[in-house]
């Protein structure tokens, strides 16, 4: 595309047009009140804003941008493709549904139609008189008169609703900001990429940053340079916007108006440093690393944005509009760059309201990110405290500079613009009570030397960083902490936990006596042995008050995780009080319904009163630490305890561990399935084939038939050849030169699976909506995605055990030892199954065995259903009742069923 250069003459005439329009509008009562644009007109640079803007209202707080005009001289054809495309791009950039082309010979109005395309609405023609540049001056009165006619027509179209403007504050935050990033991201990304090629230190710095944050970007940006380009752009956009917003309140911010096309990038950074030296807002105005790597085209665009804000006197917004643009700017920034674990505002609000019981208490979010939680803390405190008290008792920190920019803006309100926000940059592991924090008082410009207090409340969405991505510094801290915890509690924490579990121990040091923490974590620790170790250790440091999970869908919509709220009170490090009660809250209301005041009131009261108010919204189960230890000692996960399982304590004597009867084993990994799972069995000699099962997908009944033929050969190729087994020999030789590494590494003959275990009873490793234990008529080979069971001696009654494992209690225990994976499937291992409990078959006499198996036989002959449907079938109810009656525990039937269905519903809700 050829550039259309705007020369000085065009600029002069554009300014003249703006002046003439404003004179014409003086005595009008139209919605069109003002023409503007001369500040952003430039020579020869790619620009983002129209040459002329029609605006409603002279007051900035209620101003709408109605329409943009693109102005050229008559030597540029009104149909020039670049001319039209440039004007259209600028209209879309501002979110407008129309634009005007003007070259003094013609005026053409384009309006967006119902299909979203810009089409010509009307044309005005002066071409018989005005044909070249000299005619513009000669026929000034002619085109001036035509200009006023056009304005009259446009006024009519605005009045009829044909032309639609956009409010200035929404234009800035919802349209201009994202489009500035969209248009410039690849330009900045390429600039960074080129810089990294020329200086590997830049590449190293970005790689270190990317290693720690890429998990936040993977749903949005896959490329390191693209992701950081957005960070750089938002850093500039936010600084420019915020400086204009506070000019009315802080005169040093007026220096923003001195940034023009002649200003160098380094000079602009110096200007922002001078602003923050005088009135703080350091985390807003600080430059992110490498922010000077901008192509000239992008820099000119940012300068034009700055001039656009100057033109509209953004500092004159009233408080409502100022608050609106602050909030929408933060919202758009988060949408552009912050990843899948950004705290949803409703979750932040609930967390704060559950944790803070004394609004005068000092609060800290040490991993504040973009400030969602501190904003809710401030909102809660403002209900009872004045603004000064609110901000003086609210602290926020984060490891990274960029999120603090968003956080600082987020916490700024019109009534707090003169009050220093206690926001600072620090890794949570480096925080200590008494740490010196310097903050500039925005009112006086003086530096305040503060010390980090002992906090009453620490509230945070702790970072979801898994052990594989921990930095070296984090690993050093973790090693030290594991040693300290072992010394204090005798518990050795796993090194493979997510980072947040270790941070919780660090937070203990920052709390005052009796201080409380309220944190969001993933739910992974609720279902693992490592999580049980954490649970046992953390109770030496805190009294756990509440653990809260979702029973209906994810709280983080962009992440494949379920999350947990953990509320605890600091205590002296000492043994666990077995009589202390812990509340397990399961929230049934999906997060989108929490904005209903009545629903939120129930959630808040349920947490504060530790009892259910409305079980359709949230349920509460309360257990003592002693009871929790008994339940986990029965090898159920902590996650199970949310689901009304106190009945389990009453039937412990009816159970036995599964590994006292069977040795679970994982099926065989062939390494190269196309060799061993035979699609055409005629290609292998029959004596080297056995039957096997690859997966449970086609298992429709509890008595299962194998679904594949498996190569089962232990004879050397030479023996096969000499014995005339040419089909098998040829089959194996077909693959000799294309073997996978895992097959090559197999001891002995690479194709020998005959040492693999076979089984009669099995189950799938990751059941979804169907839970069952299948049984073969004879010993069968199974794939690695299945778990088989080898009886520990021949006298084990496998037929009875098969029935008991498929009973209501057997299905319950599968859920109880499982952990819900990201897409809702249950996750467990052979070791989990070995440790699970089942009804003890040795307690059953001959008559009871017959009654159980007679009822079970009716299930064997029909299709396996989803658990929710299965448990409501009459034959299933009769079977489960017979089993529980045989053990004298049939009074618990309804409770066991409810617990099972609650657990499965909660697990599956992650996929909703």
């Amino acid at each position: 595309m050829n550039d259309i250069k705007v020369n000085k003459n065009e600029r002069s005439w554009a300014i003249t047009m703006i002046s003439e329009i404003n004179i014409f509008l003086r005595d009008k009562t139209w919605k069109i009140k003002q023409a503007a644009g001369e500040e952003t007109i430039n020579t020869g640079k790619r620009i983002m804003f129209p040459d002329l803007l029609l605006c409603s209202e002279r007051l900035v707080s209620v101003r709408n941008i109605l329409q943009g005009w693109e102005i050229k001289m008559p030597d540029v054809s009104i149909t020039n493709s670049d001319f039209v495309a440039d004007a259209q791009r600028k209209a879309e950039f501002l979110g407008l549904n129309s634009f005007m082309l003007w070259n003094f010979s013609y005026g053409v109005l384009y309006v967006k139609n119902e299909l979203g395309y810009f089409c010509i609405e009307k044309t005005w023609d002066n071409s018989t008189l005005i044909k070249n540049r000299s005619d513009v001056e000669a026929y000034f009165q002619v085109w001036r008169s035509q200009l006023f006619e056009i304005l009259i027509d446009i006024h009519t179209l605005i009045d009829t609703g044909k032309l639609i403007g956009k409010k200035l504050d929404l234009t800035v935050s919802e349209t201009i900001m994202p489009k500035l990033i969209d248009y410039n991201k690849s330009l900045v990304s390429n600039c960074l990429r080129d810089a990294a090629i020329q200086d590997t230190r830049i590449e190293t710095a970005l790689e270190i940053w990317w290693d720690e944050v890429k998990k936040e970007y993977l749903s949005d940006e896959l490329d390191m340079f693209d992701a950081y380009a957005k960070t750089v752009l938002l850093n500039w956009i936010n600084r420019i916007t915020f400086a204009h917003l506070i000019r009315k309140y802080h005169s040093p911010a007026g220096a923003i108006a001195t940034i023009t096309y002649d200003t160098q990038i380094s000079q602009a950074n110096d200007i922002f440093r001078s602003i923050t030296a005088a009135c703080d807002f350091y985390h807003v105005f600080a430059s992110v690393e490498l922010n000077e790597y901008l192509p000239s085209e992008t820099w000119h665009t940012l300068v034009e944005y700055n001039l656009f804000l100057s033109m509209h006197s953004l500092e004159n917004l009233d408080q409502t509009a100022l608050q609106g643009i602050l909030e929408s700017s933060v919202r758009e920034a988060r949408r552009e760059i912050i990843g899948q674990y950004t705290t949803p505002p409703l979750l932040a609000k609930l967390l704060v309201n559950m944790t803070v019981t004394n609004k005068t208490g000092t609060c800290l979010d040490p991993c504040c990110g973009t400030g969602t939680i501190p904003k809710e803390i401030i909102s809660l405190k403002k209900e009872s405290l004045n603004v000064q008290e609110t901000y003086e008792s609210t602290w926020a920190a984060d490891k990274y500079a960029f999120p603090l920019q968003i956080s600082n803006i987020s916490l700024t309100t019109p009534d707090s613009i003169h009050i220093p926000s206690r926001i600072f940059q620090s890794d949570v592991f480096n925080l200590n009570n008494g740490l010196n924090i310097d903050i500039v008082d925005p009112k006086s410009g003086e530096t305040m030397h503060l010390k980090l207090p002992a906090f009453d409340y620490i509230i945070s969405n702790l970072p979801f960083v898994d052990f594989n991505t921990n930095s070296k510094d984090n690993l050093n801290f973790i090693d030290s902490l594991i040693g300290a915890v072992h010394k204090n509690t005798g518990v050795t924490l796993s090194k493979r936990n997510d980072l947040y579990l270790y941070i919780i121990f660090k937070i203990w040091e920052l709390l005052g006596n009796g201080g409380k923490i309220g944190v969001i974590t993933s739910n992974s620790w609720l279902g693992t042995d490592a999580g049980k170790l954490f649970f046992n250790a953390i109770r030496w440091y805190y009294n756990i008050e509440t653990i809260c999970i979702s029973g209906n869908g994810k709280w983080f919509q962009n992440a494949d995780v379920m999350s947990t709220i953990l509320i605890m009170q600091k205590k002296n490090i000492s043994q666990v009080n077995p009589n202390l009660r812990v509340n397990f809250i399961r929230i049934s209301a999906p997060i989108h319904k929490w904005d209903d005041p009545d629903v939120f009131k129930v959630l808040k009261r349920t947490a504060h009163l530790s009892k259910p108010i409305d079980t359709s919204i949230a349920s509460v189960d309360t257990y003592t630490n002693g009871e929790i230890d008994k339940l986990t000692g029965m090898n159920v996960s902590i996650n199970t305890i949310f689901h009304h399982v106190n009945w389990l304590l009453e039937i412990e004597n009816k159970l036995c561990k599964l590994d006292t009867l069977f040795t679970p084993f994982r099926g065989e990994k062939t390494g190269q399935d196309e060799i061993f799972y035979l699609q055409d069995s005629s290609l292998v000699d029959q004596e080297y084939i056995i039957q096997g099962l690859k997966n449970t997908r086609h298992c429709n009944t509890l008595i299962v038939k194998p679904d594949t033929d498996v190569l089962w050969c232990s004879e050397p190729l030479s023996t096969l050849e000499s014995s005339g087994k040419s089909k098998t020999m040829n089959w194996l030789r077909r693959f000799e030169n294309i073997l996978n590494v895992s097959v090559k590494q197999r001891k002995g003959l690479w194709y020998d699976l005959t040492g693999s275990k076979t089984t009669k009873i099995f189950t799938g490793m990751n059941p979804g909506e169907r839970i069952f234990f299948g049984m073969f008529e004879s010993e069968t080979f199974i794939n690695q995605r299945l778990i088989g069971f080898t009886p520990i001696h021949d006298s084990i009654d496998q037929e009875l055990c098969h029935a008991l494992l498929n009973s209501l209690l057997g299905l319950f225990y599968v859920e109880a030892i499982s952990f819900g994976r990201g897409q809702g499937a249950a996750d467990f291992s052979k070791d989990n199954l070995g440790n699970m409990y089942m009804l003890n078959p040795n307690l059953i006499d001959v008559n009871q065995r017959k009654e159980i198996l007679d009822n079970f036989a009716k299930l064997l002959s029909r299709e396996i259903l989803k658990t929710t449907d299965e448990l409501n079938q009459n034959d299933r109810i009769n079977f489960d009742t017979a089993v529980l009656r045989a053990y004298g525990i049939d009074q618990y039937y309804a409770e066991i069923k409810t617990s099972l269905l609650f657990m499965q519903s909660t697990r599956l809700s992650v996929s909703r």
Side-chain angles (χ1 to χ4, degrees), residues 608-622:
H608 286 175
L609 300 178
S610 303
K611 64 180 183 181
I613 307 298
D614 181 343
T615 54
S616 68
I617 295 174
S619 61
V620 182
D621 285 274
T622 302

Side-chain angles (χ1 to χ4, degrees), residues 400-419:
Y400 299 106
F402 176 72
L404 287 175
Q405 183 188 51
I406 312 299
S407 185
N408 206 164
I409 297 172
S410 178
L411 300 188
T412 302
T413 57
D415 61 350
S416 70
I417 212 158
H418 289 299
I419 300 173

